Amino acid sequence: MKSSSKIPTSDPAIRKQKKKSIALAALPNVTMLIEIVKSKCTRDVPEPDAGTHVRNPMLGERAWFLPYDPSLPPIHVCEAACTAFATRLRKILTKSETTAHMPRTQYTPEATLMKIRNPAMQWPSLAQARLLIQIVFNQVTRVYHLVLRKSTIDQLEEAYREGNFDDPVLSCKFFALFALGEVYSARSIPSLECNVPGVSYYVNAMTTIPILPERPSLAHIESLLLLSLYSFFLNRRHSAFLLVGSAMRLGLTVGLNHSIPESKCPDPVQRQHRTRLWWAIYVFDRMYGSKVGWPIQISDADIYVDMPSNVPGDFHNDHTPDTEFLIASIELAKITGQVIDRVYSRKVFPESFLQREQKLLISLKEWSCALPPQLRLSRDSPVPMNVISLHLQFNQCIMLASRPVLLHALIQATSPESIAEDSSQTNIRQALKTLSDACIHAARHTHSLIVEEWTNGSVPIFGYFYAHYLFSSALIMVISSLVYPENSNDFAFFEAAFEILRAMSSHGNLAATEFFDNLECVKQCLNERRGSEGSHLQNEFSRVGESSADSLAVVAPNQLGPFGNTAASGVQEATEPANPTNDMAFLGESMEEFLAQPDAVFDLLDPSLSDSVYSWPNLSLWTA
């Protein structure tokens, strides 16, 4: 029995298996040796806090829910929202856990919309319809590819020529266009219900077409995108999110995320329209998420459609965004989605927080350097509106990525216990200062661009996005003026933004009213903090108020350095770039050093992000 159980070793496969078994048996000893060597090599090196590899170390453990109405589900307040950032700022200034988030009340509710609804609403005259659509072509479709100009005009002319106003899909599309045309052209239409221009067209468009067709057309998807964009003028950003989500899922059912073969769609203009319509959905998804903090609705890995390309004929002379502009917008939207995912989510990441910050800034730098000349800001000629919009979104992306670090700097500045700095923390202090500077420079640049547009009369009085960008930059200006003595004049920029939002609010801009109310609360906290006794920032508040009175809050873009800083701000100008028209270039030795830091260094830097007495987790936004 014993001899019969022996395994012959002449077979090569059996010999190989035997060697593998011996190796596996010896593996624990090898592993033990490796661990011994590793422990000797790293005995004196502190291990990074495991929590820094999970998420933004300044996020709380749980999501923040606003108990808005006991009869309704609680509203989730996303960490990336600028209003949430304003609440964070007020909590730090007041050092009070009872500081409540301001609920969003300045929006048009469904009950109001139903009062405005008029099923018998007539189409405007042909002349007025032409004007309204021309306004949309000039204001909207130069930035986003939503409709084809020629075919849209042909459809309009045919509808009026044949009196065909009963097609629900066509009526929805044109009522959405009419709504946008009115809101971009009119100042206000006072009424008992809502004074936002175009709202009647919007309501009728929303009730004209079913939201869930079994066989959607491209016109249906176009209508959803147009209506989602108009929803922001009513400050109905949840509706906008739902509409673009519906457009995305309907786009998936007709395969917009794939490149359609020429045999299936011979017309090159229609093929390109499908491609560009998908990328408009993509840009809206990422852009909307960056405003409120929602996660992206589709992964880049699930998109197989080609990037926009040139089409023969007069396609690009048709009030349509040029190919290079669209590609730049798409690439920036991709980075924006990464910022929301990597900075504000609670996912587990293999990299530390600062490693993720570094990679995001490298991507933004590469995007900026790759911009073609016609998409850069020129100091010698007027800048097209779509280019300004692109740069504003770029600056917002920088602020989103870096402003948690700037707020951390404020936490440290307001801490009653000074934190001693030793040689081991020199690198982390410099890294945090570099990120803070990038945030401040982006905010200044946004402020200057919007103020320039405002003084030129180019800001849509009911526009959401300009108000949002101005509000975002104003919050940064407050923190900058408090944390860094050399930036005291940034408070004047805050005051200028405050006045512009006040003016937009007085004209009926619902989003501007919400943002203005938030800034008023911030200002009240500043006044309370200024009057508090024993605060080591008391003199700083007085100094800020005095110095800002003598400074200019209106600075033209051509007076800005490459980071948006001015000589009046007291911040040393960065070296001029090789191309003086590129106001977005990442320059400066500290930034270059930060971008060149090896990953191993960041592993040891992150734990000190939470060394403050008033660390972010202690200011949890959970208000159950």
Side-chain angles (χ1 to χ4, degrees):
M1 293 293 296
K2 196 171 183 180
S3 60
S4 62
S5 64
K6 289 184 179 180
I7 300 176
T9 57
S10 57
D11 190 343
I14 295 176
R15 288 200 306 270
K16 183 177 180 181
Q17 181 64 30
K18 188 174 182 180
K19 290 180 179 179
K20 183 177 180 181
S21 300
I22 295 173
L24 289 173
L27 186 58
N29 295 329
V30 175
T31 304
M32 186 180 301
L33 289 174
I34 292 174
E35 290 300 323
I36 293 173
V37 173
K38 184 177 179 181
S39 64
K40 288 182 178 294
C41 294
T42 60
R43 181 179 300 169
D44 298 327
V45 181
E47 293 189 5
D49 185 358
T52 64
H53 292 263
V54 176
R55 55 181 174 269
N56 176 346
M58 305 188 81
L59 291 182
E61 290 298 325
R62 295 180 291 182
W64 177 22
F65 284 88
L66 181 67
Y68 185 70
D69 188 331
S71 64
L72 298 174
I75 302 298
H76 178 217
V77 181
C78 301
E79 295 283 357
C82 288
T83 50
F85 186 76
T87 302
R88 294 285 196 188
L89 172 58
R90 291 191 291 113
K91 278 179 176 288
I92 293 169
L93 291 176
T94 59
K95 295 186 177 180
S96 171
E97 287 296 318
T98 61
T99 301
H101 179 73
M102 295 182 60
R104 180 173 59 101
T105 58
Q106 297 295 332
Y107 67 94
T108 307
E110 288 78 10
T112 300
L113 295 178
M114 288 301 101
K115 291 179 182 178
I116 298 172
R117 182 191 178 195
N118 179 15
M121 184 177 184
Q122 299 294 315
W123 287 45
S125 66
L126 177 58
Q128 184 182 2
R130 287 169 176 164
L131 288 173
L132 291 175
I133 289 183
Q134 186 63 37
I135 291 169
V136 177
F137 290 150
N138 288 335
Q139 296 289 334
V140 178
T141 61
R142 290 186 185 275
V143 182
Y144 315 109
H145 179 93
L146 303 179
V147 296
L148 286 171
R149 182 175 183 268
K150 185 178 184 303
S151 62
T152 300
I153 292 177
D154 290 344
Q155 288 174 338
L156 180 72
E157 298 290 340
E158 182 180 358
Y160 278 89
R161 184 172 58 251
E162 299 181 358
N164 180 20
F165 303 122
D166 298 328
D167 185 341
V169 176
L170 200 65
S171 296
C172 179
K173 174 179 176 179
F174 280 107
F175 276 21
L177 288 168
F178 298 156
L180 286 170
E182 278 202 354
V183 80
Y184 273 104
S185 59
R187 284 298 177 186
S188 65
I189 303 179
S191 69
L192 295 178
E193 293 83 16
C194 178
N195 67 344
V196 179
V199 66
S200 297
Y201 288 122
Y202 170 81
V203 173
N204 280 274
M206 289 285 287
T207 56
T208 297
I209 190 171
I211 201 70
L212 297 174
E214 186 61 27
R215 288 293 183 94
S217 64
L218 292 186
H220 192 133
I221 297 174
E222 293 169 357
S223 300
L224 292 176
L225 292 178
L226 292 167
L227 291 170
S228 76
L229 193 60
Y230 183 88
S231 296
F232 275 100
F233 289 91
L234 302 176
N235 203 21
R236 292 177 58 89
R237 45 183 180 255
H238 293 165
S239 297
F241 180 62
L242 293 173
L243 287 166
V244 76
S246 297
M248 175 176 292
R249 279 148 184 78
L250 293 178
L252 293 174
T253 64
V254 297
L256 291 186
N257 60 322
H258 295 266
S259 294
I260 191 169
E262 184 177 352
S263 60
K264 302 294 183 181
C265 183
D267 187 349
V269 173
Q270 287 298 324
R271 289 201 308 274
Q272 188 60 207
H273 179 49
R274 285 175 54 94
T275 298
R276 295 184 174 212
L277 196 60
W278 169 261
W279 286 118
I281 295 172
Y282 179 90
V283 170
F284 276 17
D285 176 51
R286 267 58 174 177
M287 181 179 66
Y288 291 0
S290 71
K291 302 297 179 288
V292 187
W294 293 307
I296 59 177
Q297 300 184 72
I298 188 169
S299 170
D300 291 336
D302 295 321
I303 300 174
Y304 308 98
V305 67
D306 296 334
M307 295 292 278
S309 60
N310 293 324
V311 178
D314 61 348
F315 180 79
H316 297 290
N317 298 323
D318 209 10
H319 287 257
T320 302
D322 65 78
T323 302
E324 290 180 319
F325 174 84
L326 282 179
I327 292 175
S329 299
I330 294 165
E331 294 295 341
L332 183 57
K334 185 180 299 184
I335 301 173
T336 303
Q338 293 170 358
V339 170
I340 299 300
D341 182 63
R342 299 178 185 179
V343 176
Y344 294 96
S345 72
R346 289 174 168 81
K347 297 179 181 178
V348 176
F349 291 94
E351 309 96 351
S352 66
F353 176 67
L354 284 183
Q355 285 174 329
R356 301 198 298 275
E357 288 279 317
Q358 183 194 47
K359 291 180 180 178
L360 290 170
L361 289 176
I362 289 175
S363 297
L364 287 168
K365 176 186 176 181
E366 292 173 347
W367 180 90
S368 174
C369 294
L371 278 180
Q374 71 271 20
L375 298 184
R376 299 179 185 273
L377 292 177
S378 173
R379 301 180 181 181
D380 303 320
S381 59
V383 181
M385 178 196 64
N386 62 331
V387 176
I388 292 177
S389 175
L390 187 68
H391 286 235
L392 289 173
Q393 180 60 26
F394 171 80
N395 290 337
Q396 181 65 16
C397 198
I398 297 174
M399 287 187 279
L400 274 175
S402 55
R403 69 186 183 187
V405 174
L406 181 63
L407 196 62
H408 173 75
L410 180 63
I411 292 173
Q412 290 186 323
T414 57
S415 173
E417 298 179 8
S418 59
I419 302 172
E421 180 174 339
D422 53 39
S423 58
S424 65
Q425 291 187 331
T426 301
N427 287 338
I428 182 63
R429 300 300 179 199
Q430 182 57 51
L432 298 184
K433 180 65 165 61
T434 298
L435 290 171
S436 298
D437 287 343
C439 185
I440 294 168
H441 297 322
R444 287 182 185 144
H445 195 222
T446 287
H447 176 89
S448 66
L449 288 172
I450 294 179
V451 168
E452 181 78 0
E453 291 293 286
W454 176 261
T455 55
N456 291 336
S458 303
V459 174
I461 199 66
F462 289 95
Y464 176 91
F465 299 109
Y466 275 87
H468 175 266
Y469 292 136
L470 193 61
F471 172 62
S472 177
S473 64
L475 295 173
I476 302 302
M477 294 296 95
V478 170
I479 302 174
S480 172
S481 64
L482 296 178
V483 174
Y484 301 109
E486 66 272 20
N487 296 356
S488 60
N489 286 344
D490 283 342
F491 194 78
F493 295 165
F494 165 80
E495 292 179 321
F498 186 84
E499 293 304 322
I500 292 175
L501 289 174
R502 184 206 299 271
M504 297 176 75
S505 174
S506 66
H507 282 85
N509 187 312
L510 297 174
T513 301
E514 177 189 358
F515 299 144
F516 175 75
D517 290 345
N518 273 270
L519 288 188
E520 267 198 320
C521 286
V522 170
K523 210 169 187 180
Q524 182 180 355
C525 292
L526 289 172
N527 292 333
E528 292 174 357
R529 184 68 176 163
R530 181 185 303 166
S532 63
E533 295 182 359
S535 171
H536 71 283
L537 282 180
Q538 185 174 358
N539 294 332
E540 292 298 312
F541 281 111
S542 301
R543 174 188 49 74
V544 167
E546 294 171 359
S547 62
S548 62
D550 298 327
S551 62
L552 291 176
V554 179
V555 184
N558 60 5
Q559 295 176 300
L560 290 169
F563 279 124
N565 52 322
T566 64
S569 68
V571 180
Q572 184 178 359
E573 291 280 340
T575 307
E576 283 293 320
N579 181 1
T581 64
N582 183 9
D583 289 312
M584 303 191 308
F586 279 97
L587 298 176
E589 292 183 5
S590 62
M591 176 58 72
E592 294 300 330
E593 290 175 359
F594 174 78
L595 298 182
Q597 287 278 10
D599 290 346
V601 174
F602 288 135
D603 280 336
L604 305 180
L605 296 184
D606 271 302
S608 62
L609 275 174
S610 57
D611 60 2
S612 169
V613 174
Y614 295 94
S615 60
W616 194 297
N618 292 332
L619 296 170
S620 175
L621 291 176
W622 177 265
T623 56

